[in-house]
Amino acid sequence: MSTTGRVIQVSVSQGGVPKLPVQRAWVGPLGLEGDAHREDTVHGGPFRAVCLFSIEAIERLQAEGHPVEPGSVGENLTTFGVEWSTLPTGTRARIGEELLIELLAPAMPCDTQRPNFLRGQINRISSMLHPTDSRMYARVLSEGEVRPGDSIEVLPPDPESDIEAQLRLFRVDAIERWSDLRMWRAAHAGGIDLAIVDDGELAMAARPGANDDHYSHADGLRTLPHLLPRVLDHFRANRAVGWLGSPLEPWPDAAPDFRLTIAMADSHDVPEVAPPPGISLRALREAEAETWLAVIRPIADEISFRMRTWEAATPALLANRDVHVFVAEIDGRPVGCGALYVYKKVGLLRTGIVQPEVRDRGLQRALIAARARLAAELGCDLLTSQAPPDSASERNLLRMGFHRVATKNVYRFDPADDPVPELTERRR
């Protein structure tokens, strides 16, 4: 790969489009200095630090009559000589003397783009419909200054890059956020006081007066770590203790409250495992919320479940057609369970619980196998689950064909003992 090109225009804005030309900009892990996003829960962050678009694509659009100009569709760097959307994921580019970037994924168009297209046809730059004319997002591998006229050297993907794992983690993030929102809304519908935010890749629930890491926490900081002040403000505003998974230390000397292994598997790679003798597995029906709760109640303290919340949420969860629960029974008495959440061809295994009397007999693995089989039947190509490192749950996942992909640190934030009162979002 020996493609070369040059930068035509460097563009920034304080939010929205068009982005306007500047003579130079420093590019760091979160993008160009002086640049911002109006819809900052779906744009920006370390994995979408730089938006790229070629003048060649712009000229094709102009030839069709679309009123597109450099910077008008929100790209940071308008370039000549490099057709970004035709390059493979993980392609790197050296720009100028210092900046090194790595292509991650297409930038999907949004409604703010409508004025740039005849009849508002924003899908004209959708990678799904026009793969050669899509903008591309890149992350920054080495910081540096960029200016119009800078040279561009396209480099092959680094064999040691974690880019493929990161793309799979985007899918994991999406189903975790989706499943949490289903749980939170189910609990709220059942009468639990929850303040819920669903905004792009950021999702948060705050439960005032409770100490519950299932129903008072935030998703999204892996891809949007710069929005930490917004998360903390949500817990402060609701006077709620909250938990947040963060790839960075959220405040000085912060210690994780707990850690979780993120594990993944191909749904077809999970082996078949029969339940132990004398134990049967079956899928729960919508009206069987009490059967699910009967597994959890005896060991609720052991697994840190708040039963009032689960009792409120369970009926609505079972009524959701994308939530599937298996129960293990001995002569009709429930002794184990496991839930499967399905979203965009990803299956998430949650709430795998086995009562003490039937542990160490392979029942947990049978529950994993049953959910994997159903996920494959429903069209899922990817399975994921989370478990404490070095726990029995993690060992069962690894024995069933799952692989460790990442470890997530989860931090506890208590507004009553605020470690960073100065870390507050200043909204535009």
Side-chain angles (χ1 to χ4, degrees), residues 53-378:
F53 204 37
S54 70
I55 194 68
E56 292 87 348
I58 290 174
E59 290 173 348
R60 288 192 289 271
L61 295 170
Q62 290 173 338
E64 297 172 10
H66 300 291
V68 177
E69 299 290 340
S72 68
V73 295
E75 80 273 17
N76 298 119
L77 302 184
T78 312
T79 66
F80 169 80
V82 182
E83 296 273 20
W84 298 104
S85 60
T86 66
L87 299 174
T89 296
T91 297
R92 297 167 297 153
R94 175 76 64 185
I95 303 177
E97 297 181 358
E98 301 171 301
L99 180 62
L100 181 65
I101 61 173
E102 182 180 44
L103 288 188
L104 187 79
M108 298 304 293
C110 57
D111 285 343
T112 58
Q113 304 287 347
R114 290 192 181 280
N116 292 308
F117 298 93
L118 293 175
R119 298 178 295 280
Q121 296 174 359
I122 60 174
N123 285 335
R124 181 57 185 82
I125 56 171
S126 166
S127 64
M128 293 183 289
L129 298 177
H130 299 276
T132 63
D133 291 332
S134 173
R135 301 164 300 157
M136 292 295 291
Y137 278 128
R139 64 175 172 177
V140 175
L141 301 180
S142 296
E143 300 181 39
E145 187 177 71
V146 63
R147 298 169 296 179
D150 277 349
S151 63
I152 301 172
E153 180 187 7
V154 176
L155 304 169
D158 181 351
E160 301 300 317
S161 174
D162 67 345
I163 196 77
E164 291 301 326
Q166 293 297 339
L167 290 174
R168 287 162 72 89
L169 282 169
F170 267 90
R171 299 179 69 192
V172 170
D173 293 339
I175 194 170
E176 181 178 11
R177 181 173 60 253
W178 178 89
S179 65
D180 279 342
L181 285 165
R182 292 300 176 280
M183 288 168 42
W184 300 339
R185 287 170 178 157
H188 188 263
I192 300 299
D193 182 15
L194 287 176
I196 300 170
V197 171
D198 177 9
D199 186 359
E201 291 180 5
L202 188 66
M204 303 179 282
R207 186 180 175 195
N211 194 37
D212 190 339
D213 60 270
H214 291 97
Y215 286 87
S216 195
H217 75 259
D219 297 324
L221 289 178
R222 190 187 75 85
T223 55
L224 303 167
H226 54 297
L227 298 188
L228 173 65
R230 191 174 307 177
V231 171
L232 301 187
D233 283 349
H234 183 65
F235 294 132
R236 291 183 183 115
N238 291 283
R239 295 184 173 87
V241 175
W243 281 259
L244 49 106
S246 175
L248 307 174
E249 184 181 82
W251 51 81
D253 301 319
D257 193 46
F258 58 90
R259 293 181 172 87
L260 291 171
T261 293
I262 300 174
M264 296 184 198
D266 186 305
S267 60
H268 296 283
D269 289 344
V270 175
E272 291 280 352
V273 175
I279 301 178
S280 61
L281 297 184
R282 66 179 180 89
L284 285 182
R285 297 181 296 273
E286 181 179 336
E288 293 186 286
E290 187 57 37
T291 302
W292 194 4
L293 293 169
V295 180
I296 298 173
R297 280 197 187 98
I299 55 174
D301 290 341
E302 175 188 340
I303 57 179
S304 301
F305 271 38
R306 309 297 184 265
M307 283 311 303
R308 179 171 172 265
T309 309
W310 271 92
E311 287 167 350
T314 298
L317 282 176
L318 278 178
N320 191 303
R321 64 185 182 89
D322 294 313
V323 179
H324 310 269
V325 180
F326 284 86
V327 63
E329 295 173 314
I330 298 177
D331 296 327
R333 178 171 57 88
V335 293
C337 62
L340 169 70
Y341 295 73
V342 175
Y343 179 69
K344 292 187 175 181
K345 296 187 177 182
V346 181
L348 171 62
L349 278 57
R350 301 188 77 156
T351 328
I353 297 171
V354 172
Q355 291 184 350
E357 65 178 281
V358 290
R359 289 177 186 168
D360 300 319
R361 294 171 56 184
L363 178 54
Q364 190 66 272
R365 294 192 294 279
L367 284 164
I368 292 171
R371 287 176 285 172
R373 183 169 57 252
L374 177 59
E377 292 171 359
L378 295 172

